Amino acid sequence: MEAGADSKQAVIRVRDLVKDFGGRRILNGISLDVYEGETLVVMGGSGCGKSTFLRHLIGSISPDSGEVWMFGKNLASAPEGEMDEIRKKFGMLFQSAALFDSLTVGENIALPLREHAKLDENIVQIIVKMKLELVGLRGFENLMPSQLSGGMKKRVGLARAISMDPKIVFYDEPTAGLDPIMTAVIDKLVVDLTKKLSMTSVVVTHDMASVFRIADRIVMFHQGNMVEMGTPEEIRNSKNPLVRQFIAGEAEGPVSFFQQGDDYLEHLTAGIR
Amino acid sequence: MLLESIGRVSLSFWNQTKETLFLLAQTLYWIFCGPFRKKPVSRKNLFAQTVFGGIHSLPIVFFVDFFIGMVLAMQAAYQLEKWGATIYVASLVGVSVTREIGPVLTSLVIAGRVGAAITAELATMKVTEQVEALETMGLNPVRTLVVPRFLALLVMLPCLVLLGDLIGMLGGYVIGTVNLGLPSGLYVDTTIQFLEKKDILTGLLKSAVFSVIITMTACREGLSTQGGAEGVGRSTTRSVVISFILIILADAILTGVFYFAKT
Ligand SMILES: Nc1ncnc2c1ncn2[C@@H]1O[C@H](COP(=O)(O)OP(=O)(O)O)[C@@H](O)[C@H]1O
Ligand SMILES: [Mg+2]
């Protein structure tokens, strides 16, 4: 992959990203590039900072130190007007889908269009129908989000994320909490969108079946550090015990079940001394 | 220990005040400069907020103001009877309702009804990532969520207060004519004679200030919510309590200002 790396264009560059929350280090110097047209999967255990990492990429939180560059612009120093232009070029599927409860499915998808594009209302309606068709929910535009199942919400969230035909789509655990069939459906959607519409995708997930179905490249996080990066093949054959344990899904291994910082014995006897 | 907690409370109060003023500045920016930069606030949303905040609040406002008007009349009669000046129940009710009781009471009711609803809704949107979703779509939350609620209440609260004033005086009138046996025409005449335009305007000005307090407190609490359903509950309670305190404080200050400005 090293040979091809030069020819590919990096649409996102992350350099030495550091973030603390309440004195706890959540991201500890992450540096990576996302290339145009690829699907990069970020995997790692719950609470290891994957969502926090995505939030930095979309500019909704700013790093304590380090930089995020998207389309050659530094997100931290981009003025509001420039940031708005950048925002039109990416979409995000949130972990909880984050559909607006007070709007119908169709209005949810139309919202970014009505806001940013001066389109005729008929055109907006046609785009909404097209996006719903793309995620397999034709004819659902008049339902309220509360009437949808979890998998349907995710798909509407996806339709909304791509309503502006973005260049990059971010997915935060798109398949978490879904049944295996729906997981496969969403995975296929991710692959289709990336290949057919030549989008760039950054997918956060800890579903190993998904990872190998969709990834062009995989990066694994552990406690705010990048422990491994490579193609699916390289990850599958990795010697790193952390990665091996994660792929095999074993309870015993270098990843400890306990995440507390203090020593257990000390913790137990704290009241005695 | 005591000093420490006083210090901590006043520090957090100061920080909240700063945040609230910052939110107000942003809101005013989007109201006055926003239309030149982006599309104006959606009229449908504004309408929905006005209907919810205004029209649907009418029954409870009428209920409260009507009975308070009656209570005021009975209280006044109890005192004035001794001097044989029962007719002045009319003017006393009129003046205290328009200047003081109407604006404050109506605003407190609205803080409990509309302020709490605003906080609960925005807080839920915050903890379910909807606010973040708005931001990533390039929709500023202050412009899309705060501005319509701010404008709706700024218009509706003075209207509610005006109607509430009328209903409050009606409550007094019912007591005055039915229980105290005052002639209906005389009661109305006395009320009108002592009503001053300035009193009514003072009340309306106060209610406009209170509406700013209610929406700004409610929106700040809602948008700064953290921690799931429990956080939503906590923010909602805090929003109502803080609004109550600020309304009473602002009322004391404004009443003082108007009183001393007169002399
Ligand atoms: N806004 C926040 N304030 C404080 N701590 C946070 C915040 N967001 C996330 N965290 C903490 O950061 C850690 C990583 O969270 P997150 O990025 O959501 O993990 P995950 O990899 O499961 O998506 C968690 O321990 C979480 O408690
Ligand atoms: Mg997460």
Side-chain angles (χ1 to χ4, degrees):
Chain A
M1 69 165 274
E2 255 65 40
D6 299 334
S7 61
K8 285 181 284 186
Q9 187 113 23
V11 282
I12 303 175
R13 287 175 188 279
V14 182
R15 292 291 174 268
D16 302 318
L17 192 63
V18 173
K19 184 72 185 178
D20 290 353
F21 271 134
R24 217 152 42 92
R25 175 113 340 159
I26 305 299
L27 295 174
N28 187 18
I30 307 282
S31 295
L32 58 80
D33 287 350
V34 183
Y35 299 111
E36 193 166 4
E38 75 168 345
T39 302
L40 175 73
V41 170
V42 180
M43 63 179 205
S46 284
C48 72
K50 305 183 299 292
S51 295
T52 309
F53 178 68
L54 267 196
R55 291 204 160 94
H56 280 91
L57 296 191
I58 61 173
S60 86
I61 43 182
S62 27
D64 289 345
S65 73
E67 288 160 1
V68 178
W69 296 74
M70 195 188 287
F71 306 118
K73 304 265 167 38
N74 186 347
L75 296 189
S77 60
E80 191 54 28
E82 202 160 81
M83 199 61 217
D84 274 351
E85 287 307 310
I86 297 175
R87 286 195 185 108
K88 287 182 203 167
K89 291 195 257 179
F90 70 77
M92 165 119 182
L93 171 57
F94 286 86
Q95 198 164 347
S96 58
L99 300 179
F100 303 117
D101 307 318
S102 54
L103 303 181
T104 65
V105 166
E107 287 169 338
N108 262 283
I109 300 169
L111 191 63
L113 294 166
R114 295 207 170 109
E115 180 62 28
H116 296 300
K118 291 189 174 55
L119 295 174
D120 195 64
E121 185 54 31
N122 291 326
I123 311 269
V124 170
Q125 291 307 329
I126 291 171
I127 297 178
V128 167
K129 289 205 174 79
M130 278 167 54
K131 301 297 172 188
L132 277 174
E133 176 76 40
L134 215 51
V135 297
L137 288 175
R138 184 196 301 170
F140 279 74
E141 49 264 53
N142 291 324
L143 266 69
M144 297 307 282
S146 56
Q147 296 170 298
L148 302 179
S149 74
M152 285 153 82
K153 278 186 191 156
K154 286 265 166 78
R155 286 189 281 166
V156 174
L158 183 52
R160 188 179 67 182
I162 60 171
S163 67
M164 295 281 289
D165 294 325
K167 297 208 170 6
I168 310 176
V169 186
F170 300 100
Y171 304 82
D172 195 353
E173 305 202 4
T175 59
L178 301 184
D179 64 66
I181 296 172
M182 196 46 72
T183 302
V185 169
I186 300 257
D187 286 347
K188 187 166 179 309
L189 268 175
V190 175
V191 173
D192 282 357
L193 290 173
T194 316
K195 299 293 170 265
K196 283 183 191 157
L197 306 179
S198 59
M199 289 174 178
T200 307
S201 303
V202 179
V203 185
V204 160
T205 186
H206 47 216
D207 183 337
M208 288 319 298
S210 290
V211 170
F212 289 112
R213 269 202 293 252
I214 60 179
D216 293 324
R217 226 151 45 95
I218 299 171
V219 49
M220 176 154 169
F221 281 18
H222 180 61
Q223 294 180 347
N225 293 295
M226 255 168 55
V227 291
E228 192 84 353
M229 173 146 79
T231 62
E233 211 45 45
E234 285 167 339
I235 294 291
R236 227 192 290 263
N237 300 325
S238 169
K239 296 280 182 296
N240 190 324
L242 282 169
V243 179
R244 299 199 64 83
Q245 186 196 350
F246 200 80
I247 295 176
E250 286 158 351
E252 297 294 328
V255 181
S256 126
F257 165 62
F258 296 102
Q259 295 196 333
Q260 285 85 358
D262 52 354
D263 183 46
Y264 185 45
L265 186 64
E266 218 169 79
H267 180 72
L268 277 181
T269 55
I272 301 168
R273 272 174 298 157
Chain B
M1 196 57 210
L2 181 68
L3 276 179
E4 194 183 300
S5 51
I6 290 176
R8 201 173 43 235
V9 167
S10 38
L11 193 69
S12 80
F13 184 77
W14 170 237
N15 283 335
Q16 276 168 19
T17 313
K18 262 196 315 198
E19 271 174 46
T20 310
L21 290 177
F22 182 60
L23 184 61
L24 180 61
Q26 282 177 297
T27 309
L28 294 176
Y29 169 82
W30 282 111
I31 290 173
F32 292 111
C33 307
F36 300 106
R37 276 189 50 193
K38 292 196 177 155
K39 288 182 194 170
V41 170
S42 105
R43 224 169 280 143
K44 193 177 145 212
N45 194 354
L46 200 57
F47 179 72
Q49 294 302 330
T50 314
V51 169
F52 172 75
I55 317 291
H56 292 176
S57 301
L58 280 175
I60 178 74
V61 166
F62 282 4
F63 177 84
V64 170
D65 281 340
F66 184 76
F67 282 97
I68 287 296
M70 289 175 75
V71 170
L72 270 179
M74 290 188 276
Q75 281 286 316
Y78 177 69
Q79 297 283 317
L80 293 170
E81 261 167 359
K82 294 179 194 162
W83 314 90
T86 328
I87 183 57
Y88 290 111
V89 165
S91 56
L92 207 140
V93 169
V95 171
S96 32
V97 162
T98 48
R99 271 194 86 106
E100 201 53 42
I101 310 285
V104 174
L105 215 59
T106 307
S107 301
L108 291 180
V109 168
I110 294 300
R113 206 189 98 87
V114 182
I118 290 176
T119 306
E121 189 181 2
L122 297 197
T124 308
M125 291 186 75
K126 179 75 195 303
V127 299
T128 55
E129 299 175 309
Q130 291 177 51
V131 173
E132 217 175 338
L134 274 179
E135 279 172 347
T136 37
M137 290 180 196
L139 285 134
N140 183 292
V142 176
R143 184 173 76 96
T144 26
L145 300 175
V146 180
V147 168
R149 289 168 172 79
F150 177 89
L151 290 177
L153 204 62
L154 187 62
V155 173
M156 288 317 285
L157 189 56
C159 295
L160 284 171
V161 166
L162 209 55
L163 292 173
D165 286 355
L166 281 176
I167 297 291
M169 288 187 266
L170 183 68
Y173 171 84
V174 169
I175 292 293
T177 49
V178 176
N179 293 57
L180 307 175
L182 295 167
S184 164
L186 184 64
Y187 190 98
V188 174
D189 283 346
T190 317
T191 304
I192 291 171
Q193 188 195 335
F194 281 86
L195 264 190
E196 285 191 42
K197 207 162 79 197
K198 193 172 141 254
D199 288 343
I200 299 170
L201 290 180
T202 310
L204 291 185
L205 184 74
K206 275 184 184 174
S207 61
V209 172
F210 298 159
S211 93
V212 175
I213 290 177
I214 293 171
T215 29
M216 285 300 112
T217 308
C219 291
R220 180 187 56 71
E221 278 296 330
L223 292 177
S224 60
T225 302
Q226 281 187 337
E230 194 194 347
V232 175
R234 206 179 316 123
S235 290
T236 309
T237 311
R238 282 170 49 93
S239 161
V240 174
V241 172
I242 294 175
S243 290
F244 273 32
I245 294 173
L246 291 181
I247 287 172
I248 301 290
L249 273 180
D251 184 51
I253 294 171
L254 288 174
T255 307
V257 167
F258 289 130
Y259 180 74
F260 289 109
K262 188 185 65 182
T263 54

